[in-house]
């Protein structure tokens, strides 16, 4: 025993090194197991407070581009509104319910911190549980899909963007409706990979990829990106390179989507054992 | 002594802030980031006890981690780098040892010595950092390439900082 202590005292440098390294690795691994959000929540609150000021400055610098985007989105919405109005005027169908049920409600939020250069990127929003944001809600911007809320503290929430190696999304080709699984390979903030599209499907460069709506998170038909390149993989599936529609380097305003019927859908799927 | 202490505290704060507010936003061709905050470990005095070296390195890494949502990653890399530092210093010591009252800086030991010292430690740090980040060896060479390119930019910035700030 005394010899052991002697050795530890003698080589304390090495043992201290091992100890600190072990603590670090423990932190890394703990962070990777995605269920321990508590630690993150605490640091997120501190960090959110800190970045709010800095994010304000950044928002100011990209104000012109943001205005342009907003303007374009307004135009788009106005066009849609007009179309819908016309449809309502001309339709002679029955109205079953005087209060139409909404499935999705949108919560506006600003990005106060984001990373694009790591393998596991994150985005921090300035709204949190107090504003109705909960984990597993979809996040979109004017450009398209941004990511999924991963943890929310009182005033802030953190989002796993599409450019995170743990992100998975069910997406489909808009033109013909075939769907596959979208993920990120960690090479560049504007490139994702769509897999599991069968070999016989007709694919063209530039085809639009949208969300499939087969999860209880994203509504159907939200822009994801366009096909940049594709090749036939071993087996009977294509591997498709997708140019991500959202520019993660220039992201200020987003909408968090709350699925009001999510619990209902999950409950039904649970009962019918259709996971 | 007190002066040395406060100077190091200020250097710590300035380097961490510089890293998280400025350098983390400079991304050369997508995802290559220079990590200059490790300059703090490079510049710690020769007489620093080894345990203090490790503990400050851990604190330094952890404070950068706190702001990049990567708990433990930078800490692991900086602790490893601090562990290697005494051996690198021992290997590259001048014939009659380091003069008392001097610091591991370009000003005291010249360009060649400081460059070698910096390159070795920056490579060690970046190597550990990038491989812990991907946490797998499947993309070994693409990660290695990122290590080398990021190291290049970090070394250039660290060498430049010696001329701009510590000219005396």
């Amino acid at each position: 025993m005394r010899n052991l202590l002697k050795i530890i005292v003698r080589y304390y440098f090495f043992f201290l090194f091992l100890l600190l390294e072990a603590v670090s690795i423990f932190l890394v691994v703990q962070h990777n197991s995605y269920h321990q959000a508590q630690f993150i929540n605490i640091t997120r609150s501190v960090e959110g407070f800190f970045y709010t000021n800095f994010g304000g400055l950044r928002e100011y610098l990209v104000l012109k581009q943001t205005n342009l985007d907003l303007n374009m989105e307004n135009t788009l919405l106005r066009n849609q509104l007009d179309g819908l109005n016309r449809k309502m005027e001309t339709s002679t169908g029955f109205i079953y319910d005087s209060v139409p049920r909404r499935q999705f409600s949108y919560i506006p939020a600003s990005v106060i911190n984001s990373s694009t250069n790591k393998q596991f990127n994150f985005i921090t929003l300035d709204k949190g549980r107090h504003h109705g944001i909960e984990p597993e809600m979809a996040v979109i911007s004017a450009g398209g899909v941004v990511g999924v809320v991963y943890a929310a503290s009182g005033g802030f929430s953190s989002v796993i963007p599409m450019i995170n190696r743990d992100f998975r999304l069910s997406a489909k080709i808009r033109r013909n409706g075939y769907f596959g699984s979208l993920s990120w390979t960690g090479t560049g903030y504007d490139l994702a990979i769509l897999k599991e599209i069968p070999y016989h499907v007709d694919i063209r460069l530039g085809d639009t990829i949208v969300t499939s709506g087969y999860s209880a998170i994203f509504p159907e038909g939200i822009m994801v990106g366009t096909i940049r390149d594709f090749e036939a993989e071993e087996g009977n599936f294509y591997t498709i390179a997708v140019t991500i529609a959202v520019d993660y380097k220039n992201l200020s305003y987003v909408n968090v989507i709350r699925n009001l019927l999510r619990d209902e859908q999950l409950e039904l799927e649970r009962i019918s054992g259709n996971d | 002594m007190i002066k040395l202490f406060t100077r190091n505290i200020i250097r710590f704060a300035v380097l961490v802030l510089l890293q998280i507010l400025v350098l983390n936003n400079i991304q050369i061709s997508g995802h290559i980031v220079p990590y200059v905050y490790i300059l703090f470990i490079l510049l710690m005095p020769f007489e620093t006890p080894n345990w203090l070296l490790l503990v400050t390195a851990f604190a330094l890494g952890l404070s950068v981690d706190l702001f990049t949502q990567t708990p433990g990653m930078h800490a692991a890399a900086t602790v490893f780098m601090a562990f290697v530092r005494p051996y690198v210093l021992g290997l590259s010591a001048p014939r009659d040892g380091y003069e008392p009252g001097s610091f591991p800086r370009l000003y005291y030991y010249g360009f060649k010595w400081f460059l070698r010292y910096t390159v070795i430690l920056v490579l060690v740090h970046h190597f550990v950092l990038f491989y812990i980040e991907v946490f797998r060896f499947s993309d070994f060479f693409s990660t290695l390439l990122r290590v080398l390119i990021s190291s290049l930019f970090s070394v250039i910035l660290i060498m430049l900082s010696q001329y701009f700030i510590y000219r005396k």
Side-chain angles (χ1 to χ4, degrees):
Chain A
M1 192 62 204
R2 241 184 52 204
N3 283 342
L4 184 69
L5 278 179
K6 246 185 203 164
I7 287 176
I8 290 181
V9 170
R10 176 122 182 259
Y11 297 104
Y12 82 95
F13 181 45
F14 181 68
F15 284 109
L16 185 63
F17 161 70
L18 278 189
L19 177 74
L20 290 176
E21 201 73 6
V23 170
S24 307
I25 299 288
F26 171 74
L27 286 175
V28 172
V29 172
Q30 192 202 36
H31 176 64
N32 273 351
S33 78
Y34 266 53
H35 306 287
Q36 314 221 358
Q38 280 320 99
F39 175 73
I40 312 284
N41 274 342
I42 298 166
T43 58
R44 200 53 38 90
S45 301
V46 178
E47 182 202 329
F49 173 76
F50 186 80
Y51 273 116
T52 309
N53 302 315
F54 197 66
L57 182 71
R58 205 179 56 92
E59 250 165 41
Y60 216 76
L61 294 174
V62 296
L63 209 55
K64 196 176 169 202
Q65 183 61 38
T66 308
N67 273 331
L68 223 62
D69 285 350
L70 282 177
N71 204 1
M72 269 173 64
E73 203 185 359
N74 267 341
T75 316
L76 189 77
L77 290 177
R78 235 165 268 207
N79 285 335
Q80 281 179 356
L81 187 69
D82 188 54
L84 288 176
N85 277 342
R86 195 164 292 234
K87 215 188 223 170
M88 255 170 66
E89 280 165 17
T90 54
S91 81
T92 50
F94 296 102
I95 295 171
Y96 297 102
D97 194 345
S98 57
V99 185
R101 282 190 78 176
R102 284 171 68 194
Q103 185 177 3
F104 298 104
S105 88
Y106 295 77
I107 306 163
S110 320
V111 174
I112 52 172
N113 182 29
S114 73
S115 62
T116 57
N117 57 319
K118 292 195 290 264
Q119 299 291 306
F120 298 95
N121 293 300
F122 282 96
I123 293 176
T124 309
L125 304 181
D126 69 337
K127 300 269 165 65
R129 220 178 298 118
H130 297 327
H131 310 89
I133 294 179
E134 275 155 33
E136 302 215 349
M137 285 188 180
V139 181
I140 63 166
S141 75
V145 171
V146 172
V148 174
V149 175
Y150 151 61
S153 63
F156 302 98
S157 53
S158 80
V159 175
I160 298 187
M162 218 189 298
I163 51 168
N164 182 313
R165 289 179 83 142
D166 286 318
F167 185 86
R168 296 285 179 278
L169 176 69
S170 170
K172 67 178 181 186
I173 302 172
R174 189 166 65 180
R175 195 160 51 79
N176 51 29
Y178 281 95
F179 71 97
S181 159
L182 189 97
S183 58
W184 189 58
T185 54
T187 53
Y189 63 93
D190 60 348
L191 179 70
I193 297 291
L194 181 65
K195 288 187 169 173
E196 296 168 24
I197 298 285
Y199 195 60
H200 62 81
V201 176
D202 169 35
I203 296 176
R204 294 176 203 161
L205 293 183
D207 269 356
T208 305
I209 307 290
V210 295
T211 54
S212 71
Y214 289 166
S215 67
I217 297 176
F218 279 100
E220 191 231 333
I222 292 181
M223 179 76 175
V224 174
T226 51
I227 294 181
R228 179 192 292 181
D229 192 14
F230 59 87
E231 60 180 26
E233 213 190 333
E234 300 268 327
N236 301 319
F237 296 104
Y238 278 118
T239 298
I240 301 175
V242 177
T243 305
I244 297 174
V246 169
D247 184 357
Y248 283 100
K249 290 267 192 195
N250 176 14
L251 195 63
S252 307
Y253 294 103
V254 296
N255 273 301
V256 182
I257 305 180
R258 183 191 194 98
N259 185 349
L260 302 170
L261 304 182
R262 180 165 187 269
D263 290 341
E264 194 177 322
Q265 182 182 344
L266 289 183
E267 178 67 14
L268 182 67
E269 286 175 355
R270 195 181 61 77
I271 290 172
S272 53
N274 173 16
D275 215 11
Chain B
M1 189 64 206
I2 299 289
K3 199 179 147 207
L4 195 66
F5 189 70
T6 47
R7 191 196 279 176
N8 270 294
I9 297 267
I10 292 170
R11 186 186 291 152
F12 185 101
V14 167
L15 280 173
V16 169
L17 286 176
L18 180 76
Q19 183 66 41
I20 58 181
L21 293 183
V22 182
L23 291 172
N24 277 349
N25 295 313
I26 300 178
Q27 290 150 17
I28 301 141
S29 87
H31 44 227
I32 292 156
V33 187
Y35 292 107
V36 172
Y37 70 96
I38 49 177
L39 180 62
F40 179 78
I41 301 175
L42 291 175
L43 292 186
M44 281 179 85
F46 291 118
E47 298 85 13
T48 317
N50 282 338
W51 63 267
L52 187 63
L53 196 66
L54 286 178
V55 170
T56 39
F58 185 70
L60 180 71
L62 211 59
S63 36
V64 172
D65 278 331
L66 202 70
F67 290 100
T68 52
Q69 298 121 44
T70 53
M73 226 166 69
H74 286 275
T78 48
V79 166
F80 193 81
M81 175 186 164
F83 177 69
V84 174
R85 191 189 106 131
Y87 302 105
V88 176
L89 278 180
L91 278 179
S92 56
R95 204 171 309 140
D96 37 1
Y98 296 104
E99 280 167 45
S102 68
F103 294 93
R105 281 194 204 159
L106 193 142
Y107 175 80
Y108 292 98
Y109 291 98
F111 181 83
K112 229 171 113 185
W113 181 87
F114 192 76
L115 181 67
R116 192 170 53 184
Y117 171 61
T118 307
V119 166
I120 295 174
L121 287 181
V122 166
L123 275 177
V124 165
H125 172 268
H126 284 37
F127 194 84
V128 175
L129 179 67
F130 281 63
Y131 277 97
I132 287 185
E133 188 189 9
V134 290
F135 223 72
R136 68 200 77 175
F137 281 105
S138 60
D139 317 308
F140 186 86
F141 287 105
S142 73
T143 310
L144 192 64
L145 187 71
R146 290 198 296 137
V147 169
L148 293 179
I149 297 174
S150 273
S151 302
L152 180 71
F153 283 104
S154 304
V155 168
I156 289 174
L157 284 180
I158 289 173
M159 295 308 285
L160 281 179
S161 76
Q162 292 298 296
Y163 285 103
F164 280 124
I165 303 165
Y166 299 113
R167 194 154 39 186
K168 272 214 168 172

